[in-house]
Structures are given as C-alpha cells and as structure tokens.
Amino acid sequence: MPIPLRLRIVLLGLVASHVCCTWLGWELRDRSADLTAASAQVAQQTTRADTALVARQQDHTNTQAGAQAESQRLATQSARTRQFNTLQQDIDTHAKTPGRDRGDADAEFVRIWREANAGRPRHP
C-alpha cells in the first residue's frame, strides 16, 4: 500500500475520531444540562409542595382557632342570655311585689343589668 494512501486513511481515521469525540462531548454537555434543569425543577416543585403544606397547616390551625373563638363567643353569649333572662325574671318579680313602685323597679333593673354586664360596682 502506498504511503499517501496510508496517510489518507490515518488522516480520515483521525478526523472521524475527532468528529466522534466532539459529538460525544456535545451529547454529554446536553445531557448534563438536561440533568441540571431536571434537578432544578424537582427542587422547585419540592419547595412549592413544602410551601403548600405549610400553608395548609396554617389554614388548619387558623380554622381551629376560629372555631374555638366562635365556641367561646357562643358560650359567653349563652351565659349573658341566661343572665338577662334571670334579670328579667328578677325585675318582673320585683315590679310585681306589692308595696313597690315602678321607679324602684327601674333602678333595680339598672343595678342588676350593670352587675350582669360589668360586674359589681367598685367602691372608691
């Protein structure tokens, strides 16, 4: 085989090897970039999921706190309604007691109402 033909074959093999290495490098670079992008996307989705979980937990906590506050409000309202009904009965009883006038009943109503809503009067 003549030397120029051998040189051409070797040169063609070298060029082919160079092209293959270049293609392989690009392919690895692209796959590495794809892997990096996929990892970033997974991290972002994990962060979103964690944030959503925290938000759901906070919402649940707020709902529980709201239900507890509403329960306390209803209990307080129920107690005040009982106090008002007792007050109304006391006033009716006081107003119907023989020998008492209506002015005394009104003053007694105000005193009992204040005690029911603000506690007993403070003495200086």
Side-chain angles (χ1 to χ4, degrees):
M1 203 183 285
I3 291 187
L5 183 61
R6 283 186 193 174
L7 222 52
R8 285 182 186 167
I9 292 174
V10 170
L11 187 59
L12 185 61
L14 188 61
V15 169
S17 173
H18 182 70
V19 168
C20 286
C21 287
T22 303
W23 174 82
L24 185 60
W26 286 341
E27 190 66 27
L28 289 175
R29 184 199 63 195
D30 289 347
R31 287 190 182 185
S32 177
D34 291 346
L35 181 61
T36 302
S39 297
Q41 187 177 10
V42 167
Q44 190 177 37
Q45 288 174 347
T46 303
T47 302
R48 285 180 188 159
D50 290 345
T51 302
L53 178 63
V54 168
R56 270 188 252 117
Q57 289 173 340
Q58 185 65 41
D59 186 47
H60 181 68
T61 301
N62 289 344
T63 300
Q64 284 180 327
Q68 185 177 6
E70 182 65 13
S71 176
Q72 290 173 348
R73 186 190 69 76
L74 290 173
T76 302
Q77 184 179 6
S78 175
R80 286 185 179 157
T81 300
R82 282 194 305 276
Q83 288 175 340
F84 178 77
N85 290 338
T86 303
L87 172 65
Q88 193 65 46
Q89 289 173 352
D90 290 349
I91 290 169
D92 289 343
T93 301
H94 185 80
K96 293 176 184 175
T97 303
R100 298 198 183 236
D101 64 3
R102 184 69 192 164
D104 289 341
D106 290 341
E108 186 68 7
F109 168 80
V110 170
R111 182 190 66 75
I112 294 171
W113 185 87
R114 283 185 181 152
E115 284 180 11
N117 289 292
R120 300 214 176 265
R122 296 181 190 162
H123 297 289

